[in-house]
Coordinates of all heavy atoms in Angstrom, one line a residue:
Chain G
L55 N 0.2 -12.6 -12.3 CA -0.1 -11.9 -13.5 C 0.9 -10.8 -13.8 O 0.9 -10.4 -15.0 CB -1.5 -11.3 -13.4 CG -2.7 -12.3 -13.4 CD1 -4.0 -11.7 -13.5 CD2 -2.5 -13.4 -14.5
E56 N 1.6 -10.3 -12.9 CA 2.6 -9.3 -13.2 C 3.7 -9.3 -12.2 O 3.4 -9.5 -11.0 CB 1.9 -7.9 -13.3 CG 2.9 -6.8 -13.8 CD 2.2 -5.5 -14.0 OE1 1.0 -5.5 -14.3 OE2 2.9 -4.4 -13.8
K57 N 4.9 -9.0 -12.6 CA 6.0 -8.8 -11.7 C 6.7 -7.5 -12.0 O 6.9 -7.1 -13.2 CB 7.0 -10.0 -11.9 CG 6.5 -11.3 -11.4 CD 7.6 -12.4 -11.4 CE 8.1 -12.7 -12.7 NZ 9.1 -13.8 -12.6
S58 N 7.0 -6.7 -10.9 CA 7.7 -5.5 -11.1 C 9.1 -5.7 -11.5 O 9.7 -6.8 -11.2 CB 7.6 -4.7 -9.8 OG 8.5 -3.7 -9.8
R59 N 9.8 -4.6 -12.0 CA 11.2 -4.7 -12.3 C 12.0 -4.8 -11.0 O 13.1 -5.2 -11.0 CB 11.6 -3.4 -13.1 CG 11.1 -3.4 -14.5 CD 11.4 -2.1 -15.1 NE 10.7 -1.0 -14.4 CZ 10.9 0.3 -14.6 NH1 11.7 0.7 -15.6 NH2 10.3 1.2 -14.0
L60 N 11.4 -4.4 -9.9 CA 12.0 -4.5 -8.6 C 12.2 -6.0 -8.2 O 13.1 -6.2 -7.4 CB 11.2 -3.8 -7.5 CG 11.0 -2.3 -7.6 CD1 10.0 -1.8 -6.6 CD2 12.3 -1.6 -7.5
L61 N 11.5 -6.8 -8.8 CA 11.6 -8.2 -8.4 C 12.7 -8.9 -9.2 O 12.5 -9.4 -10.4 CB 10.2 -8.9 -8.7 CG 9.7 -10.0 -7.6 CD1 9.6 -9.3 -6.3 CD2 8.4 -10.6 -8.1
S62 N 13.8 -9.0 -8.6 CA 15.0 -9.5 -9.4 C 14.8 -11.1 -9.4 O 13.9 -11.7 -8.8 CB 16.3 -9.2 -8.7 OG 16.4 -10.0 -7.5
D63 N 15.7 -11.7 -10.1 CA 15.7 -13.2 -10.2 C 15.8 -13.9 -8.9 O 15.5 -15.0 -8.8 CB 16.8 -13.7 -11.2 CG 16.5 -13.2 -12.6 OD1 15.4 -12.8 -12.9 OD2 17.5 -13.2 -13.4
R64 N 16.3 -13.2 -7.9 CA 16.5 -13.8 -6.6 C 15.1 -13.9 -5.8 O 15.0 -14.6 -4.8 CB 17.5 -13.0 -5.7 CG 18.9 -13.0 -6.3 CD 19.8 -12.2 -5.3 NE 19.4 -10.8 -5.2 CZ 18.8 -10.3 -4.1 NH1 18.5 -11.1 -3.1 NH2 18.6 -9.0 -4.0
F65 N 14.1 -13.2 -6.3 CA 12.8 -13.2 -5.7 C 11.9 -14.1 -6.4 O 11.8 -14.2 -7.7 CB 12.2 -11.8 -5.7 CG 12.8 -10.8 -4.8 CD1 14.1 -10.4 -5.0 CD2 12.2 -10.3 -3.7 CE1 14.7 -9.4 -4.2 CE2 12.8 -9.4 -2.8 CZ 14.0 -8.9 -3.1
S66 N 11.1 -14.9 -5.7 CA 10.1 -15.7 -6.4 C 8.8 -15.8 -5.4 O 8.9 -15.8 -4.2 CB 10.6 -17.2 -6.6 OG 10.9 -17.8 -5.4
A67 N 7.7 -15.7 -6.0 CA 6.4 -15.7 -5.3 C 5.6 -16.8 -5.9 O 5.5 -17.1 -7.1 CB 5.8 -14.4 -5.3
E68 N 4.8 -17.4 -5.0 CA 3.9 -18.5 -5.4 C 2.5 -18.3 -4.6 O 2.5 -17.8 -3.6 CB 4.4 -19.9 -5.1 CG 5.7 -20.2 -5.8 CD 6.2 -21.6 -5.5 OE1 5.8 -22.2 -4.5 OE2 7.0 -22.1 -6.3
R69 N 1.5 -18.9 -5.3 CA 0.2 -18.9 -4.6 C -0.4 -20.2 -5.1 O -1.3 -20.3 -6.0 CB -0.6 -17.7 -5.0 CG -1.8 -17.6 -4.1 CD -2.7 -16.4 -4.5 NE -3.8 -16.2 -3.5 CZ -4.9 -15.6 -3.8 NH1 -5.1 -14.9 -5.0 NH2 -5.9 -15.5 -2.9
P70 N 0.1 -21.4 -4.7 CA -0.2 -22.6 -5.3 C -1.7 -23.1 -5.4 O -2.1 -23.7 -6.3 CB 0.6 -23.6 -4.5 CG 0.9 -23.0 -3.2 CD 0.9 -21.5 -3.5
K71 N -2.5 -22.7 -4.5 CA -3.9 -23.1 -4.5 C -4.8 -22.0 -4.5 O -6.0 -22.1 -4.2 CB -4.2 -24.0 -3.3 CG -3.4 -25.4 -3.3 CD -3.7 -26.3 -2.2 CE -2.9 -27.6 -2.2 NZ -3.3 -28.5 -1.1
G72 N -4.3 -20.8 -4.8 CA -5.1 -19.6 -4.9 C -5.5 -19.1 -3.5 O -6.4 -18.3 -3.4
S73 N -4.9 -19.6 -2.4 CA -5.2 -19.1 -1.1 C -4.0 -18.4 -0.6 O -3.8 -17.2 -0.9 CB -5.6 -20.2 -0.2 OG -4.6 -21.2 -0.1
F74 N -3.2 -19.0 0.3 CA -2.0 -18.3 0.8 C -1.0 -18.1 -0.2 O -0.9 -18.8 -1.2 CB -1.5 -19.1 2.0 CG -0.8 -20.3 1.7 CD1 0.6 -20.3 1.5 CD2 -1.5 -21.5 1.6 CE1 1.2 -21.5 1.2 CE2 -0.8 -22.7 1.3 CZ 0.6 -22.7 1.1
S75 N 0.0 -17.3 0.0 CA 1.1 -17.0 -0.9 C 2.4 -17.0 -0.1 O 2.4 -16.7 1.1 CB 0.9 -15.6 -1.6 OG 2.0 -15.4 -2.4
T76 N 3.5 -17.3 -0.8 CA 4.8 -17.2 -0.2 C 5.7 -16.4 -1.1 O 5.5 -16.3 -2.3 CB 5.5 -18.6 0.0 OG1 5.5 -19.3 -1.3 CG2 4.7 -19.5 1.0
L77 N 6.6 -15.7 -0.4 CA 7.6 -14.9 -1.1 C 8.9 -15.3 -0.7 O 9.2 -15.3 0.6 CB 7.4 -13.3 -0.8 CG 8.4 -12.4 -1.4 CD1 8.2 -12.3 -3.0 CD2 8.2 -11.0 -0.8
E78 N 9.8 -15.8 -1.6 CA 11.1 -16.3 -1.2 C 12.1 -15.3 -1.8 O 12.1 -14.9 -2.9 CB 11.3 -17.7 -1.7 CG 12.7 -18.2 -1.3 CD 13.0 -19.6 -1.9 OE1 12.3 -20.0 -2.8 OE2 14.0 -20.3 -1.4
I79 N 13.1 -15.0 -1.0 CA 14.3 -14.3 -1.4 C 15.5 -15.2 -1.2 O 15.8 -15.6 -0.1 CB 14.5 -13.0 -0.6 CG1 13.2 -12.1 -0.6 CG2 15.6 -12.2 -1.3 CD1 13.3 -10.9 0.3
Q80 N 16.2 -15.4 -2.3 CA 17.4 -16.2 -2.3 C 18.7 -15.3 -2.2 O 18.6 -14.2 -2.7 CB 17.4 -17.1 -3.5 CG 16.3 -18.1 -3.6 CD 16.4 -19.0 -4.8 OE1 16.9 -18.6 -5.9 NE2 16.0 -20.3 -4.7
R81 N 19.6 -15.9 -1.6 CA 21.0 -15.1 -1.5 C 20.7 -13.7 -1.1 O 21.1 -12.7 -1.8 CB 21.7 -15.2 -2.9 CG 21.9 -16.7 -3.3 CD 22.6 -16.7 -4.6 NE 22.0 -15.9 -5.7 CZ 20.9 -16.4 -6.4 NH1 20.4 -17.6 -6.2 NH2 20.4 -15.6 -7.4
T82 N 20.1 -13.5 0.1 CA 19.8 -12.1 0.5 C 21.0 -11.2 0.5 O 22.1 -11.6 0.7 CB 19.1 -12.2 1.8 OG1 20.0 -12.9 2.8 CG2 17.8 -12.8 1.9
E83 N 20.6 -9.9 0.2 CA 21.6 -8.8 0.2 C 21.1 -7.8 1.2 O 19.9 -7.7 1.5 CB 21.7 -8.2 -1.2 CG 22.1 -9.2 -2.2 CD 22.0 -8.6 -3.6 OE1 21.6 -7.4 -3.8 OE2 22.5 -9.3 -4.6
Q84 N 22.0 -6.9 1.7 CA 21.7 -5.9 2.6 C 20.6 -5.0 2.1 O 19.7 -4.5 2.8 CB 22.9 -5.2 3.1 CG 23.8 -6.0 4.0 CD 25.0 -5.2 4.5 OE1 25.6 -4.3 3.8 NE2 25.4 -5.5 5.7
G85 N 20.6 -4.8 0.8 CA 19.6 -3.9 0.2 C 18.2 -4.5 0.2 O 17.2 -3.8 -0.1

Side-chain angles (χ1 to χ4, degrees):
Chain G
L55 297 186
E56 185 172 334
K57 294 192 292 186
S58 162
R59 291 172 298 175
L60 294 174
L61 218 62
S62 75
D63 291 344
R64 297 183 297 104
F65 289 70
S66 62
E68 296 182 343
R69 194 183 183 196
K71 298 183 179 180
S73 56
F74 73 91
S75 175
T76 58
L77 177 68
E78 181 182 16
I79 308 175
Q80 296 182 327
R81 304 181 303 281
T82 53
E83 301 173 356
Q84 289 183 324

